[in-house]
Amino acid sequence: MLLLVTAVVVARAGDRIRFEQDVELVSVTAPREIVPGGSLPLTLRFSAKHALATDDWVFIHVEALDGGPDACRLIHDREPTPPPTQWRQQTIVHAVDLVVADSCKPGRYEIYAGLYNRETWARLRMLEPRAPDNRVHAGWTNVVAKHADASPRTIVPLEMRLQETWALFCPWSGWALAFSLAAFVASWLSARRRAEDDEERATSAHAAFSVRARRLALFASAVPFLLGILVVLEFVKDDAYISFRYAHNLVTGHGLVFNSGERLEGFTNFLWVFILAPFEALGWDLFQVCEVLGTVLGIACLVLTARLTSWINGERRDGSQLWGALWLATSSSFVLYAKSGLEQPLAALLPIAGAFVLWRARDGFAQPSTPSDAKLLQARYLQAGLLMGAACMTRPELHLLAILVALPLVLDVARTRTITRAQLLYAAGIVVVTAPCHAFRYLYYGTLVPNTFYVKTGTGPLVWRAGIRTLHDMFEFNCTGLLVVVAPLAFVNRRRLLEKATMTVIAIAFMVYYVEVGVDEMQWHRLYLPALPFLCVLAALGMQNLLQALPALVTRAAVSSRMRGAASAAGWVAVLFAGWHSFELTYREQNGFDGHGDLAGTFHPDLGKFLVRHERPGALVAFQDMGSTPYHAPDLSFLDFFGLVDKTVAHARHDFGLHAFIGSSGEGDTQKAYDAAMREYFFARNPEWSILTIYVSHADEQRVADVWRRDPTGATFGDDYRQNSQQFALWDDPRFTQRYVAVRTWQRSLGYYLALWRRRDLWLATPREVVLDALPSGAAGVKAKLEGGLELLGSALTKRTLERHEAFITTWWKLPGPLPHDLMFFVHVVAPGVQVPADHVPGDWMYPADRWQPGQVLEDRTLFQLPPFTMESGTYSVYIGAYRISTGARFRVLDGPTDGDDRILLGTFEVDSLYPLVHQLIAPTRVNVMRKYPGRIVDSHRRPGT
């Protein structure tokens, strides 16, 4: 296969590397080998016909072939001599000497090069060959541990183009060889076997188990699966809350929408939303509903995987029919996404359920039957169609599976040239489910294509190249490639050849689909899950056939039961080792049994609740994470930087040829043009709030953390906002800082911050939801006086709450007039051995001290979210005070209950134990509680849906 691909490229490749403005790369000279810590001398020769318009610089990237986050990468930029604006018709020799880091591991390293404008950062466009990222694969070198062959090698354009293709397919050479060997072994063994032996062994093995024992065995794979569930117990993907919000709006009368009044299909799991809606109507915690549903659906999928294996190869005394289910049960992807809140467990279950029901019914028609049996089998065809119709409505790509699962029926029709009533019933079952749903989607949304299609798809070389790398990553993940290698051995015997061939087509078709998608933003290859059970069945059948054949190959004498037992034991060792390898990855990456997982669903709600406290219904918020924050701000609208739930952004991204998670599949300046257009859209929409996400490199984590501690509003992050390329390059547009003011920043980790900005015209208005006309009647609690004339008039605390839930800490202050801008209120929630801070700008972050007016009454009503796993049940004391960030000095308490350290004791509250299923894991947003003074919030006069 690799030779064929290379031959095609040789035939089609040209012998020139040509840039715009008549620049050509003539050759590159590089050493054959280098050692870590040494140097890499490179010489690039360009040919020019005339001077260039700008003084472009030459860039060089040296990257490890296998990539990865820890891979060594060398970057070198330098101006050529002479500068491009002084070039004539001449050859330019550009020689550099790169220092190779000691950390660079041995292996092949690719050399890329190109030219770019230092002012605009736009790369000089490549004309031949066309390259999405406008850089040429200029050569390669090998890093060796010692004794490097440093002799120079000159690489010409034709070789560059061939090596670029080889670099893409080279990682597949090992897998291609292993698969070819397995296919050869399968063909050889198949020729030696007799079909009647297969039937005899399957029949005799079936009698070895009682009905009860067989049923219990089917659930054996649930044990490692449940262990995995315990590891990922707190995992919920933030994207799941998109479905949760659609379900919420549906049951509250706003329609199947994300933003009220905007009919847009921003989800790809139509059926899953309708499954969740009744639970949302009952007020149940959808987080926990999905935990239970995902676990139950996962176990059902495991049982069907084992049953399908048994149906094809028969039940064995050694229990080997469970091997495929055990592989699936320990799959990190299968376990993780069973708990994610997403539709993946349903998308994995329905196709294999539909296939199993359909294929068994078809097999039954091949046997003599009574009229009543025939009617029952026809009903099974209809049932299979209904299951596959439900699958189609779970994820769009499962429409393909509904067709592929029916390939045996297609061949039956082709062979008999007739269409039976049963076959029509299968098609009718699909149509009964999908036709009404698609009709509704078209009439309601005006399209049959989900909005997410425009965000997550792309075309061109950059997409399929990324897809090939993603597929290779999947082969390396959880021994998935070994399943593919073993799968051809499923064809050693002749039992159910058509069904096994169909499963093979399904497994391959989804690999092709994976390449077409390019990159999925979520970890651990969730998009392949619908095909994974079929691949696991094929691999289990292959292992069975191989280990059954091996004893007969090593001796011509009759195969003893001891030899068969040894072969089965070897199979169990291999399966259990692979299962342990996968489980160990899940355990390590998800922090063991501590239940931390991905806590986006736990940490993001407070952002949504903050917005509710300080904004009117219908206001617009710009943000890129359309998950738990919008779900917990149910009556606000959102402008999605990614475009998942924003038609304008999604269609613009698609029209510009961009892929949200790969980059530009067009020319080098496409991203800039897209960003410019989307900035105009952003400013035209004029959102009341904008949340900018900051991604911090590991090297910068400490510096950015220090910046955040000095100014937690987010105003001083500066160019760190540029690290996120998904926000329309807003930071580079002066209009943004002219029109928006930083309010507060959430530090989610050392490498991840969320900065909230308020529209300046609204910020300059007095926030009357925190600045009151007078002290509320009945206000009581603690009173105190602090230096600077600041006076505490009263306080109130939530008396009881649950672990991981929240408490309101409310204080009323009489303001003396303007004080330093960096004045902060601190809150300490204290118990023996525990102190949790909640420092904030006065007025719940909304009224800095330099804006205070004499005599104003400030209500500082702060929502304190109890951090998971650190605040257990018990009694907690609450202290408050004031200090300046710049000096760290606290304002002295002149009068009132102080602990001697200028902290005012407000009182205590009780935290009760949280019991899952009995209590909601995350406190729901009660808008009428969060928004205490709705009529006092600044009115932006935004019309609904604008």
Short mmCIF file of all heavy atoms in Angstrom, two decimals, residues 361-398:
data_model
loop_
_atom_site.label_atom_id
_atom_site.label_comp_id
_atom_site.label_asym_id
_atom_site.label_seq_id
_atom_site.Cartn_x
_atom_site.Cartn_y
_atom_site.Cartn_z
N ALA A 361 -32.49 -12.22 12.47
CA ALA A 361 -33.77 -12.40 11.77
C ALA A 361 -33.52 -12.91 10.35
O ALA A 361 -34.22 -13.81 9.86
CB ALA A 361 -34.54 -11.09 11.74
N ARG A 362 -32.54 -12.35 9.68
CA ARG A 362 -32.21 -12.82 8.33
C ARG A 362 -31.77 -14.27 8.34
O ARG A 362 -32.14 -15.06 7.46
CB ARG A 362 -31.09 -11.94 7.76
CG ARG A 362 -30.58 -12.39 6.41
CD ARG A 362 -29.45 -11.49 5.92
NE ARG A 362 -28.86 -12.03 4.71
CZ ARG A 362 -27.88 -12.93 4.69
NH1 ARG A 362 -27.39 -13.39 5.86
NH2 ARG A 362 -27.39 -13.39 3.55
N ASP A 363 -31.00 -14.66 9.34
CA ASP A 363 -30.56 -16.04 9.46
C ASP A 363 -31.74 -16.98 9.69
O ASP A 363 -31.79 -18.10 9.17
CB ASP A 363 -29.56 -16.17 10.60
CG ASP A 363 -28.96 -17.56 10.69
OD1 ASP A 363 -28.33 -18.01 9.72
OD2 ASP A 363 -29.15 -18.22 11.74
N GLY A 364 -32.72 -16.50 10.47
CA GLY A 364 -33.90 -17.30 10.73
C GLY A 364 -34.71 -17.56 9.47
O GLY A 364 -35.30 -18.63 9.30
N PHE A 365 -34.76 -16.58 8.56
CA PHE A 365 -35.51 -16.77 7.32
C PHE A 365 -34.86 -17.82 6.42
O PHE A 365 -35.50 -18.38 5.54
CB PHE A 365 -35.61 -15.44 6.57
CG PHE A 365 -36.87 -14.68 6.87
CD1 PHE A 365 -36.83 -13.52 7.62
CD2 PHE A 365 -38.09 -15.16 6.43
CE1 PHE A 365 -37.99 -12.82 7.91
CE2 PHE A 365 -39.25 -14.46 6.71
CZ PHE A 365 -39.21 -13.30 7.46
N ALA A 366 -33.57 -18.04 6.64
CA ALA A 366 -32.89 -19.04 5.81
C ALA A 366 -33.22 -20.46 6.25
O ALA A 366 -32.92 -21.41 5.52
CB ALA A 366 -31.38 -18.82 5.87
N GLN A 367 -33.82 -20.60 7.43
CA GLN A 367 -34.17 -21.91 7.95
C GLN A 367 -35.68 -22.14 7.76
O GLN A 367 -36.47 -21.20 7.78
CB GLN A 367 -33.81 -22.00 9.44
CG GLN A 367 -32.38 -21.61 9.76
CD GLN A 367 -31.36 -22.53 9.14
OE1 GLN A 367 -31.64 -23.72 8.97
NE2 GLN A 367 -30.21 -21.99 8.77
N PRO A 368 -36.09 -23.40 7.64
CA PRO A 368 -37.54 -23.68 7.56
C PRO A 368 -38.23 -23.17 8.81
O PRO A 368 -37.73 -23.30 9.91
CB PRO A 368 -37.59 -25.21 7.46
CG PRO A 368 -36.25 -25.61 6.95
CD PRO A 368 -35.28 -24.62 7.52
N SER A 369 -39.41 -22.59 8.64
CA SER A 369 -40.12 -22.02 9.78
C SER A 369 -41.62 -22.11 9.53
O SER A 369 -42.09 -22.25 8.41
CB SER A 369 -39.71 -20.57 10.00
OG SER A 369 -40.00 -19.81 8.85
N THR A 370 -42.38 -22.00 10.60
CA THR A 370 -43.84 -21.97 10.53
C THR A 370 -44.28 -20.57 10.16
O THR A 370 -43.51 -19.60 10.28
CB THR A 370 -44.44 -22.37 11.87
OG1 THR A 370 -44.08 -21.37 12.84
CG2 THR A 370 -43.92 -23.73 12.32
N PRO A 371 -45.53 -20.39 9.72
CA PRO A 371 -46.03 -19.04 9.41
C PRO A 371 -45.92 -18.09 10.59
O PRO A 371 -45.64 -16.90 10.42
CB PRO A 371 -47.48 -19.30 9.00
CG PRO A 371 -47.46 -20.69 8.46
CD PRO A 371 -46.48 -21.44 9.30
N SER A 372 -46.17 -18.60 11.80
CA SER A 372 -46.07 -17.73 12.98
C SER A 372 -44.63 -17.29 13.21
O SER A 372 -44.37 -16.15 13.61
CB SER A 372 -46.62 -18.45 14.21
OG SER A 372 -45.87 -19.64 14.46
N ASP A 373 -43.69 -18.22 12.96
CA ASP A 373 -42.28 -17.84 13.09
C ASP A 373 -41.90 -16.79 12.05
O ASP A 373 -41.13 -15.86 12.33
CB ASP A 373 -41.39 -19.07 12.92
CG ASP A 373 -41.50 -20.03 14.09
OD1 ASP A 373 -41.89 -19.56 15.19
OD2 ASP A 373 -41.21 -21.22 13.92
N ALA A 374 -42.45 -16.94 10.85
CA ALA A 374 -42.16 -15.97 9.79
C ALA A 374 -42.64 -14.58 10.18
O ALA A 374 -41.96 -13.58 9.94
CB ALA A 374 -42.80 -16.42 8.48
N LYS A 375 -43.83 -14.49 10.78
CA LYS A 375 -44.35 -13.20 11.22
C LYS A 375 -43.47 -12.60 12.32
O LYS A 375 -43.22 -11.39 12.35
CB LYS A 375 -45.78 -13.35 11.71
CG LYS A 375 -46.79 -13.64 10.60
CD LYS A 375 -48.19 -13.70 11.16
CE LYS A 375 -49.21 -13.94 10.04
NZ LYS A 375 -50.60 -14.01 10.54
N LEU A 376 -43.00 -13.47 13.22
CA LEU A 376 -42.11 -13.00 14.28
C LEU A 376 -40.81 -12.45 13.71
O LEU A 376 -40.32 -11.40 14.14
CB LEU A 376 -41.83 -14.14 15.26
CG LEU A 376 -40.86 -13.81 16.41
CD1 LEU A 376 -41.42 -12.68 17.28
CD2 LEU A 376 -40.58 -15.05 17.25
N LEU A 377 -40.27 -13.15 12.71
CA LEU A 377 -39.03 -12.69 12.10
C LEU A 377 -39.24 -11.38 11.35
O LEU A 377 -38.36 -10.51 11.33
CB LEU A 377 -38.49 -13.77 11.17
CG LEU A 377 -37.99 -15.05 11.87
CD1 LEU A 377 -37.66 -16.12 10.86
CD2 LEU A 377 -36.78 -14.74 12.73
N GLN A 378 -40.39 -11.23 10.71
CA GLN A 378 -40.68 -9.96 10.05
C GLN A 378 -40.76 -8.82 11.07
O GLN A 378 -40.29 -7.70 10.80
CB GLN A 378 -42.00 -10.07 9.28
CG GLN A 378 -41.91 -10.94 8.04
CD GLN A 378 -43.25 -11.05 7.31
OE1 GLN A 378 -44.25 -10.52 7.78
NE2 GLN A 378 -43.26 -11.75 6.18
N ALA A 379 -41.33 -9.13 12.23
CA ALA A 379 -41.38 -8.12 13.29
C ALA A 379 -39.96 -7.74 13.75
O ALA A 379 -39.70 -6.59 14.10
CB ALA A 379 -42.19 -8.64 14.47
N ARG A 380 -39.06 -8.73 13.70
CA ARG A 380 -37.67 -8.44 14.07
C ARG A 380 -37.02 -7.50 13.05
O ARG A 380 -36.22 -6.64 13.41
CB ARG A 380 -36.88 -9.75 14.15
CG ARG A 380 -37.34 -10.70 15.25
CD ARG A 380 -36.65 -10.40 16.57
NE ARG A 380 -37.16 -11.24 17.65
CZ ARG A 380 -36.80 -12.51 17.88
NH1 ARG A 380 -35.92 -13.08 17.09
NH2 ARG A 380 -37.30 -13.18 18.90
N TYR A 381 -37.34 -7.69 11.77
CA TYR A 381 -36.84 -6.77 10.75
C TYR A 381 -37.30 -5.35 11.07
O TYR A 381 -36.53 -4.39 10.97
CB TYR A 381 -37.34 -7.19 9.37
CG TYR A 381 -36.45 -8.17 8.65
CD1 TYR A 381 -36.49 -9.53 8.96
CD2 TYR A 381 -35.58 -7.74 7.67
CE1 TYR A 381 -35.68 -10.44 8.28
CE2 TYR A 381 -34.76 -8.64 6.98
CZ TYR A 381 -34.82 -9.99 7.30
OH TYR A 381 -34.01 -10.87 6.63
N LEU A 382 -38.57 -5.21 11.40
CA LEU A 382 -39.09 -3.89 11.75
C LEU A 382 -38.40 -3.34 12.99
O LEU A 382 -38.05 -2.15 13.04
CB LEU A 382 -40.60 -3.97 11.97
CG LEU A 382 -41.29 -2.67 12.40
CD1 LEU A 382 -41.13 -1.60 11.32
CD2 LEU A 382 -42.78 -2.92 12.68
N GLN A 383 -38.19 -4.20 13.97
CA GLN A 383 -37.51 -3.78 15.20
C GLN A 383 -36.10 -3.30 14.89
O GLN A 383 -35.65 -2.27 15.41
CB GLN A 383 -37.47 -4.95 16.19
CG GLN A 383 -36.78 -4.62 17.51
CD GLN A 383 -36.65 -5.83 18.40
OE1 GLN A 383 -37.12 -6.93 18.07
NE2 GLN A 383 -36.03 -5.66 19.55
N ALA A 384 -35.40 -4.04 14.03
CA ALA A 384 -34.05 -3.62 13.66
C ALA A 384 -34.08 -2.26 12.95
O ALA A 384 -33.22 -1.40 13.19
CB ALA A 384 -33.42 -4.67 12.75
N GLY A 385 -35.07 -2.06 12.09
CA GLY A 385 -35.18 -0.77 11.42
C GLY A 385 -35.44 0.37 12.39
O GLY A 385 -34.88 1.46 12.25
N LEU A 386 -36.27 0.11 13.38
CA LEU A 386 -36.55 1.14 14.38
C LEU A 386 -35.29 1.47 15.18
O LEU A 386 -35.03 2.64 15.49
CB LEU A 386 -37.66 0.67 15.32
CG LEU A 386 -39.06 0.50 14.68
CD1 LEU A 386 -40.02 -0.15 15.67
CD2 LEU A 386 -39.60 1.86 14.24
N LEU A 387 -34.51 0.44 15.51
CA LEU A 387 -33.26 0.68 16.25
C LEU A 387 -32.29 1.49 15.41
O LEU A 387 -31.66 2.44 15.91
CB LEU A 387 -32.63 -0.66 16.64
CG LEU A 387 -33.31 -1.43 17.77
CD1 LEU A 387 -32.75 -2.84 17.89
CD2 LEU A 387 -33.16 -0.69 19.10
N MET A 388 -32.17 1.16 14.13
CA MET A 388 -31.24 1.91 13.28
C MET A 388 -31.77 3.30 12.98
O MET A 388 -30.99 4.25 12.83
CB MET A 388 -30.99 1.15 11.98
CG MET A 388 -30.24 -0.17 12.17
SD MET A 388 -28.75 -0.05 13.20
CE MET A 388 -27.78 1.14 12.30
N GLY A 389 -33.09 3.46 12.92
CA GLY A 389 -33.66 4.79 12.77
C GLY A 389 -33.34 5.66 13.98
O GLY A 389 -32.99 6.84 13.85
N ALA A 390 -33.45 5.05 15.18
CA ALA A 390 -33.08 5.78 16.40
C ALA A 390 -31.60 6.12 16.39
O ALA A 390 -31.20 7.21 16.84
CB ALA A 390 -33.43 4.93 17.63
N ALA A 391 -30.77 5.22 15.86
CA ALA A 391 -29.34 5.51 15.76
C ALA A 391 -29.10 6.72 14.85
O ALA A 391 -28.29 7.60 15.17
CB ALA A 391 -28.60 4.29 15.23
N CYS A 392 -29.82 6.76 13.72
CA CYS A 392 -29.67 7.89 12.80
C CYS A 392 -29.98 9.21 13.49
O CYS A 392 -29.35 10.24 13.19
CB CYS A 392 -30.61 7.71 11.60
SG CYS A 392 -30.20 6.33 10.53
N MET A 393 -30.93 9.20 14.40
CA MET A 393 -31.31 10.43 15.08
C MET A 393 -30.46 10.70 16.31
O MET A 393 -30.63 11.71 16.98
CB MET A 393 -32.79 10.39 15.45
CG MET A 393 -33.72 10.22 14.26
SD MET A 393 -33.25 11.21 12.80
CE MET A 393 -33.26 12.88 13.47
N THR A 394 -29.54 9.77 16.61
CA THR A 394 -28.62 10.00 17.72
C THR A 394 -27.39 10.78 17.25
O THR A 394 -26.94 11.70 17.92
CB THR A 394 -28.18 8.65 18.32
OG1 THR A 394 -29.34 7.96 18.81
CG2 THR A 394 -27.21 8.86 19.48
N ARG A 395 -26.85 10.38 16.09
CA ARG A 395 -25.75 11.13 15.48
C ARG A 395 -25.90 11.07 13.97
O ARG A 395 -26.28 10.03 13.42
CB ARG A 395 -24.38 10.57 15.89
CG ARG A 395 -23.98 10.90 17.32
CD ARG A 395 -22.50 10.71 17.52
NE ARG A 395 -21.70 11.57 16.66
CZ ARG A 395 -21.39 12.85 16.93
NH1 ARG A 395 -21.82 13.39 18.05
NH2 ARG A 395 -20.66 13.55 16.09
N PRO A 396 -25.58 12.13 13.23
CA PRO A 396 -25.81 12.15 11.78
C PRO A 396 -25.05 11.07 11.02
O PRO A 396 -25.57 10.50 10.07
CB PRO A 396 -25.34 13.55 11.37
CG PRO A 396 -25.45 14.37 12.60
CD PRO A 396 -25.15 13.44 13.74
N GLU A 397 -23.79 10.80 11.45
CA GLU A 397 -23.00 9.84 10.68
C GLU A 397 -23.53 8.41 10.79
O GLU A 397 -23.13 7.53 10.01
CB GLU A 397 -21.53 9.87 11.11
CG GLU A 397 -21.25 9.43 12.54
CD GLU A 397 -21.29 10.58 13.53
OE1 GLU A 397 -21.93 11.61 13.22
OE2 GLU A 397 -20.69 10.45 14.60
N LEU A 398 -24.44 8.17 11.73
CA LEU A 398 -24.99 6.82 11.87
C LEU A 398 -26.01 6.50 10.78
O LEU A 398 -26.44 5.35 10.65
CB LEU A 398 -25.62 6.65 13.25
CG LEU A 398 -24.64 6.79 14.44
CD1 LEU A 398 -25.28 6.35 15.73
CD2 LEU A 398 -23.36 6.01 14.19
#
